[in-house]
Amino acid sequence: TITTTAYTGGGGSGPEPHLEVFSTSDQPIAALTITEVSMGNVGVNRGGGGWNSYWYTVPKTGRYQISGVVSWDNGSSNIFGQAYVFVNGVGRAEGSTQSGYAFFGSSFSATLLLNAGDQVGFRCVVSSGCNALPGARNRSTSATISCLGA
């Protein structure tokens, strides 16, 4: 069992704002439908900004590093999947397109200039219905958003 405690401090301990989120339960994903990915657990949220399991509200304008992965379990058929980063409902970055049997994932990474109040979320698409997975360590579907500065 992984136990996380929200960090609320500051004072030079790393970039701020900084968010780390992850999933701890399966999420059904319908075939050929761009679906919001739920990451209902917050490991770290420092420097403000709200997270509602699907969207992060950016607390201050700056350049942000956004990275993560969405992992799937598709049973035994060969299918493809891809993860995306959306800002204010518009696709801004794509993850790797992956295909596979059983367990596979799509990782993403982008550096974006974001404004205070922007909403950042993660979506995915698969060619056949399956589940987005939390994984054994609850980190298989996860994301990090870090402000790099102005």
Side-chain angles (χ1 to χ4, degrees), residues 4-10 15-21 41-52 55-59 145:
T4 58
T5 304
Y7 177 83
T8 57
E16 289 191 12
H18 176 79
L19 176 76
E20 297 173 18
V21 293
N41 294 281
V42 176
V44 175
N45 185 1
R46 64 177 180 248
W51 177 255
N52 73 355
W55 293 95
Y56 177 65
T57 302
V58 174
I145 302 173

Side-chain angles (χ1 to χ4, degrees), residues 11-104:
S13 60
E16 289 191 12
H18 176 79
L19 176 76
E20 297 173 18
V21 293
F22 56 96
S23 174
T24 57
S25 61
D26 288 356
Q27 177 186 353
I29 306 295
L32 301 175
T33 303
I34 296 178
T35 305
E36 289 183 308
V37 177
S38 174
M39 297 183 209
N41 294 281
V42 176
V44 175
N45 185 1
R46 64 177 180 248
W51 177 255
N52 73 355
S53 295
Y54 294 97
W55 293 95
Y56 177 65
T57 302
V58 174
K60 73 176 190 177
T61 298
R63 190 162 305 282
Y64 285 76
Q65 178 63 40
I66 302 167
S67 59
V69 64
V70 178
S71 298
W72 300 280
D73 173 8
N74 64 338
S76 61
S77 61
N78 187 21
I79 67 172
F80 81 87
Q82 187 172 27
Y84 306 95
V85 177
F86 274 67
V87 178
N88 299 326
V90 176
R92 294 283 305 276
E94 300 177 352
S96 55
T97 301
Q98 297 294 322
S99 65
Y101 293 92
F103 304 104
F104 67 106

